[in-house]
């Protein structure tokens, strides 16, 4: 998939960085030689997939399954809550907020789509791309940042799902006021963090069992719940459209353009989840063709649904009167449409279920990839020969989420989330650039050219973070201008000092501009996160480097030729 030039490039860069690091760091020669090695891309149409048993994951997911997988991951209860809460600040202009955030996510999705079609059809996603485009340590750091997001996010979603389930049960007289808070809503807090919840771990156990049973069964559950969710959202849009009063759309931006831009940075995270499709590569029937369609298709569906809901909710009720906790449900209740409010609760349950199901699925596949490469113990690399699922990884993911959801009020940790997603998206965009570079007179890129490109990428990221920080603290226009100039100059260097090769399969358009814009905006958003999220990024990075230093560097083997199961190119499958 990467061609011989890509393989030679990786080997050349790995050898150059290894030799230079060995001479300059005599104290840690093995650490640096391991940390800076890259995972070579195979040029064969038959890409070997390393497993311990010789039984790999089974290919059962078609285009429809992949699209629903992406929609299931992206649209949760947020469509019934986030749209209204942001509208309270941005007014009807929240629609523009979702459009801007959607455009940014489309650009990120284009980067994911190129790599998904270019890389071997194996698990790994952003981790795998980083391993091949940059180095082992960076890939391990990306994995750690993503995984903490996934673990805390899964526990938080499980708690929300438990609360919604209890709320629906309390609609029946037999259960009303008879279900203790510690069952589903979360019991009394201790020490500000501990809070017992019994139902959340039970729900996680059920979903984990479904995922362990098989990808076909879990895909069927996801398809049903996602379809139900989409139908309910469409009903909400259609019914609500008859209650729209266009006078509520005036003024369109009551608090100015800045609130719309701020809203865009908030609702950006409502789209996060389309990257789950990239992690299903090894279970896709025709990955090189279907993955880009699944990524882009699911995202476009989400954008359309979000925009329609925004127009309906801001047209039904004046934005100042929207509720805080359940704005969409409150809007329909105020119009005497209580049955729609009940549908919204059912839709929220379906949305949270699919989001949680896909989140658990993605986590297990990432652990599987790390286990295969030796960065984690080999138990994570085992695939059940009968079910063709990574049972050990899946159970581990379920246990971690269950403990967090059952014992801790993980909602207090929500402000340190999204670091992993923004990090992963930025690195994926950088991978597109790195893997496209070549010298003007040769197919492989020299170490000097590669280093210059990496410096330019870093400057674009720094410019984005600086611009975001200036915007956040309302600094002078000069500081914002300086950050923009730094990013633009780095982009110009990427545009005119680097040569970009053509890629097989789907190609991200506008390289290097589109990936650079992705990096800039992602870092802009990174600067908007709570300062504790920055601390979490630094602390987790240090811990991850420690784990790598004591375990990963001695066990990782990116090019090991163990027992293999082969993936054949689509044209060979057709025969």
């Amino acid at each position: 998939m990467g061609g011989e030039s890509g393989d030679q490039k990786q080997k050349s860069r790995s050898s150059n960085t290894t030799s230079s690091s060995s001479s300059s760091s005599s104290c840690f020669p093995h650490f640096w030689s391991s940390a800076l090695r890259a995972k070579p891309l195979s040029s064969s149409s038959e890409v070997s997939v390393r497993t311990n048993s010789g039984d790999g994951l089974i290919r059962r997911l078609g285009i429809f399954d992949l699209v629903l997988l992406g929609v299931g991951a992206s649209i949760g209860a947020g469509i019934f809550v986030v749209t209204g809460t942001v509208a309270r600040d941005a007014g009807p202009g929240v629609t523009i907020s979702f459009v801007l955030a959607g455009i940014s996510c489309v650009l990120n999705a284009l980067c994911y789509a190129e790599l998904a079609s270019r890389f071997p059809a194996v698990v790994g996603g952003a981790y795998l791309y980083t391993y091949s485009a940059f180095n082992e340590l960076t890939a391990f750091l990306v994995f750690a940042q993503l995984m903490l997001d996934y673990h805390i996010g899964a526990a938080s979603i499980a708690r929300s799902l438990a609360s919604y389930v209890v709320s629906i049960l309390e609609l029946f007289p037999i259960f009303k006021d008879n279900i203790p808070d510690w069952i589903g809503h979360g019991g009394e807090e201790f020490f500000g963090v501990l809070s017992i919840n019994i139902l959340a771990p039970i729900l996680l156990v059920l979903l984990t069992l479904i995922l362990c049973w098989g990808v076909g069964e879990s895909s069927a559950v996801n398809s049903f719940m996602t379809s139900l969710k989409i139908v309910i959202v469409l009903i909400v849009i259609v019914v609500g459209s008859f209650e729209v009063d266009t006078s509520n759309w005036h003024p369109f931006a009551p608090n100015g353009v800045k609130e719309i831009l701020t809203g865009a940075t908030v609702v950006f995270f409502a789209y996060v989840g389309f990257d789950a499709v990239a992690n299903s590569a090894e279970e896709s029937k025709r990955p090189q063709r279907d993955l880009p369609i699944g990524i882009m298709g699911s995202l476009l569906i989400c954008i359309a649904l979000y925009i329609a809901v925004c127009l309906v909710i801001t047209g039904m009720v004046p934005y100042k009167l929207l509720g805080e906790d359940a704005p969409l449900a409150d809007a329909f209740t105020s119009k005497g449409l209580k049955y729609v409010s009940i549908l919204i609760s059912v839709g929220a349950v379906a949305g949270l279920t699919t989001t949680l199901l896909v989140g658990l699925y993605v986590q297990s596949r990432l652990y599987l990839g790390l286990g295969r490469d030796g960065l984690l113990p080999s138990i994570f690399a085992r695939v059940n020969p009968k079910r063709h699922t990574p049972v050990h990884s899946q159970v581990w993911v379920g246990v971690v989420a269950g403990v967090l959801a059952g014992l801790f009020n993980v909602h207090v940790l929500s402000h340190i989330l999204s670091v992993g997603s923004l990090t992963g998206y930025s690195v994926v965009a950088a991978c597109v650039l790195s893997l496209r570079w070549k010298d003007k007179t040769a197919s492989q890129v020299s170490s000097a050219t590669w280093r210059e490109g990496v410096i330019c990428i870093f400057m674009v990221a720094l410019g984005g973070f600086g611009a975001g920080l200036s915007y956040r603290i309302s600094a002078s226009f000069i500081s914002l201008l300086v950050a923009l100039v730094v990013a633009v100059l780095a982009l110009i260097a990427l545009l005119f000092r680097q040569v970009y090769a053509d890629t097989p399969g789907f190609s991200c358009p506008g390289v290097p501009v589109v990936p650079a814009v992705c990096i800039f905006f992602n870092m802009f958003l990174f600067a908007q996160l709570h300062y504790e999220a920055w601390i979490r990024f630094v602390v987790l990075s240090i811990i991850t480097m420690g784990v790598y230093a004591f375990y990963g560097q001695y066990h990782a083997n990116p090019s090991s030729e163990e027992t293999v199961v082969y993936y054949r190119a689509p044209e060979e499958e057709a025969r």
Side-chain angles (χ1 to χ4, degrees), residues 87-102:
R88 287 176 61 87
D89 297 321
V94 66
T95 307
I96 305 300
S97 298
F98 272 97
V99 170
L100 293 175

Side-chain angles (χ1 to χ4, degrees), residues 295-344:
I295 291 170
M296 296 303 301
S298 62
L299 181 57
L300 292 176
I301 290 174
C302 293
I303 292 174
L305 292 177
Y306 274 123
I307 291 174
V309 169
C310 286
L311 290 173
V312 166
I313 191 174
T314 55
M316 288 180 64
V317 179
Y319 73 95
K320 292 182 179 179
L321 301 181
L322 290 172
E324 288 282 357
D325 298 324
L328 199 57
D330 292 345
F332 280 93
T333 300
S334 69
K335 296 292 184 178
L337 301 171
K338 189 171 179 60
Y339 74 94
V340 179
S341 299
I342 297 174
L343 273 181
I344 290 172

Side-chain angles (χ1 to χ4, degrees), residues 109-118 288-289 292-293 296 436 503-509:
L110 288 171
C111 296
Y112 261 99
E114 173 175 319
L115 297 180
S117 69
R118 178 177 183 178
Q288 271 64 36
R289 183 200 68 174
I293 296 175
M296 296 303 301
R436 290 272 205 109
T503 62
F506 179 87
S507 296
C508 175

Side-chain angles (χ1 to χ4, degrees), residues 68-322:
L68 290 182
L69 188 72
V71 174
S74 299
I75 293 188
I79 195 170
F80 307 115
V81 179
V82 174
T83 49
T85 54
V86 177
R88 287 176 61 87
D89 297 321
V94 66
T95 307
I96 305 300
S97 298
F98 272 97
V99 170
L100 293 175
I103 292 173
S104 175
C105 283
V106 166
L107 298 181
N108 280 286
L110 288 171
C111 296
Y112 261 99
E114 173 175 319
L115 297 180
S117 69
R118 178 177 183 178
F119 267 69
V122 293
V123 294
Y127 153 78
L128 174 64
Y129 308 152
T130 308
Y131 206 161
S132 296
F134 293 101
N135 55 61
E136 189 168 284
L137 180 58
T138 304
F140 196 43
L141 290 169
V142 168
F143 163 79
Q145 296 292 347
L146 283 171
M147 202 47 61
L148 185 58
D149 265 17
Y150 281 130
H151 283 322
I152 297 176
S156 179
I157 293 170
R159 282 211 161 208
S160 296
L161 178 58
S163 181
Y164 267 104
V165 169
V166 170
S167 296
I168 290 178
L169 290 176
E170 289 177 338
L171 293 175
F172 300 94
I174 190 174
F175 292 113
K176 188 172 180 61
D177 299 326
N178 290 325
I179 302 178
D181 286 343
W182 53 268
I183 294 292
H185 291 301
E188 181 181 354
E189 289 189 14
F190 302 95
F191 310 109
V193 177
L194 294 177
S195 175
I196 304 299
N197 188 311
I198 298 299
L199 184 56
I202 293 175
L203 295 173
L204 283 164
V205 168
L206 293 176
L207 293 178
T208 298
L209 290 175
I210 292 173
L211 288 164
C212 288
W213 189 257
V215 66
E217 290 76 9
S218 59
S219 177
V221 172
N222 178 69
S223 297
F224 171 76
M225 298 296 281
T226 301
S227 299
L228 174 64
K229 172 174 57 178
I230 292 175
V231 169
I232 290 175
V233 171
L234 290 176
I235 292 174
V236 167
I237 293 170
V238 172
V239 174
S241 64
F242 289 99
E243 302 293 334
V244 168
D245 181 355
T246 55
S247 64
N248 290 329
W249 288 337
H250 304 285
F252 192 74
N255 297 317
V257 176
K258 184 172 182 179
E259 286 297 336
I260 292 178
L261 294 176
T262 301
T265 65
V266 175
V267 303
F268 175 87
F269 303 107
Y271 292 111
V272 170
F274 61 84
D275 54 315
V277 180
N279 286 282
S280 64
E282 198 170 324
E283 289 157 296
S284 171
K285 292 179 181 177
R286 298 172 65 89
Q288 271 64 36
R289 183 200 68 174
D290 293 352
L291 291 179
I293 296 175
I295 291 170
M296 296 303 301
S298 62
L299 181 57
L300 292 176
I301 290 174
C302 293
I303 292 174
L305 292 177
Y306 274 123
I307 291 174
V309 169
C310 286
L311 290 173
V312 166
I313 191 174
T314 55
M316 288 180 64
V317 179
Y319 73 95
K320 292 182 179 179
L321 301 181
L322 290 172

Side-chain angles (χ1 to χ4, degrees), residues 316 408 445:
M316 288 180 64
F408 298 97
V445 62

